[in-house]
Amino acid sequence: MKYLLVEDNMDLANAISSRIRLDGHIVDHAAKIADATAFASTGDYDLILLDIMLPDGDGRSFLKQQRAAQNDTPIIVLTARSQVSDRISMLDLGADDYVTKPFDHSELQARCRAVLRRKSGSAQSVLTVGDVEFDTLAGHLSVKGQSINLRNRELRLLELLITSKGQVFSKQKLVDRLFSYDDDVSENAIEVYIGRLRKHLEGSRVQIKTLRGLGYRLDDDG
């Protein structure tokens, strides 16, 4: 998954980013609303973590801006404000959850997972497509009952395809979703990861199909 973290406290931003990366996810960091707006307008994110008190304004303006632009990326607000009225205000503006500072990083990670599950339409961490089972929490793939170990980038690519089954992803779209803004990668890298995943799925009803000129799509041929 790819996160956008909007937080001006660098110590906290580094700590959150480290935990996100340890979980194998990608994160872009913005310290100001202006930077966050630029990231959101050019990138495609699975989740946004949003501080409220930022150097160039109130994070609520960014939240309102994104919802007005029909951006439905889940947003979890991070703030020191703990009044019930503040929480109600954030949720009514379109936030998907609200975490009060200081917080336990494990709780934040759990809330991120819960929001991402809701986004995918599943309350379970184990996703099943045909004869394939994928545990998004443990990062475990099972094909026809056989356990398969995945490298991190393969794991995140499979997670993206399974949670968006039937959706077509171009190579550039996959680059945007699997790598951070600072990564220097080519679309050829996507061909390598797609090839590896196809080998893991051999013998399964689940296939990654190539749609000429469009991209890739995960299908269940059962």
Side-chain angles (χ1 to χ4, degrees):
M1 296 294 179
K2 189 171 183 177
Y3 289 56
L4 174 59
L5 171 63
V6 189
E7 170 62 63
D8 65 319
N9 182 314
M10 291 307 298
D11 289 339
L12 181 57
N14 289 335
I16 295 173
S17 297
S18 294
R19 296 295 288 261
I20 293 173
R21 294 190 178 105
L22 279 175
D23 279 347
H25 302 294
I26 306 301
V27 57
D28 284 331
H29 170 235
K32 299 187 296 184
I33 293 175
D35 294 339
T37 301
F39 274 121
S41 63
T42 57
D44 194 358
Y45 295 92
D46 295 292
L47 184 64
I48 297 174
L49 301 176
L50 175 64
D51 184 22
I52 293 301
M53 303 298 290
L54 294 163
D56 55 345
D58 191 317
R60 286 175 294 193
S61 64
F62 173 81
L63 175 58
K64 292 172 65 176
Q65 175 192 69
Q66 296 306 307
R67 295 311 185 220
Q70 306 298 313
N71 183 351
D72 62 355
T73 301
I75 296 177
I76 297 178
V77 170
L78 312 175
T79 181
R81 296 177 180 174
S82 58
Q83 297 296 315
V84 172
S85 58
D86 290 324
R87 296 198 292 271
I88 292 173
S89 172
M90 298 299 174
L91 295 171
D92 283 345
L93 284 175
D96 295 83
D97 201 353
Y98 185 106
V99 179
T100 304
K101 299 177 182 178
F103 51 80
D104 185 286
H105 285 275
S106 297
E107 179 185 355
L108 175 61
Q109 290 172 292
R111 287 179 179 272
C112 290
R113 291 194 294 270
V115 167
L116 290 168
R117 284 198 302 272
R118 288 200 296 273
K119 179 189 177 188
S120 69
S122 173
Q124 306 296 323
S125 62
V126 178
L127 305 176
T128 302
V129 179
D131 48 12
V132 167
E133 279 193 357
F134 180 61
D135 188 331
T136 59
L137 183 56
H140 177 259
L141 169 66
S142 175
V143 177
K144 302 177 71 173
Q146 297 296 312
S147 179
I148 296 174
N149 292 321
L150 297 177
R151 297 177 183 177
N152 179 59
R153 203 76 72 179
E154 298 165 8
L155 188 154
R156 296 307 165 199
L157 174 58
L158 180 62
E159 182 177 25
L160 175 61
L161 294 173
I162 283 185
T163 55
S164 307
K165 186 170 74 72
Q167 182 175 335
V168 178
F169 289 91
S170 67
K171 289 181 185 177
Q172 185 57 53
K173 188 82 169 180
L174 291 175
V175 168
D176 291 343
R177 296 294 295 271
L178 295 174
F179 297 91
S180 74
Y181 184 79
D182 295 326
D183 289 330
D184 182 16
V185 295
S186 71
E187 294 183 358
N188 292 338
I190 297 301
E191 295 181 10
V192 173
Y193 292 118
I194 289 289
R196 290 175 181 171
L197 272 187
R198 280 175 168 156
K199 287 186 178 179
H200 292 314
L201 295 172
E202 281 180 355
S204 166
R205 301 197 321 251
V206 178
Q207 297 184 4
I208 301 174
K209 294 187 176 177
T210 301
L211 285 78
R212 189 174 299 276
L214 296 176
Y216 303 99
R217 183 180 69 200
L218 186 80
D219 284 344
D220 175 13
D221 290 340

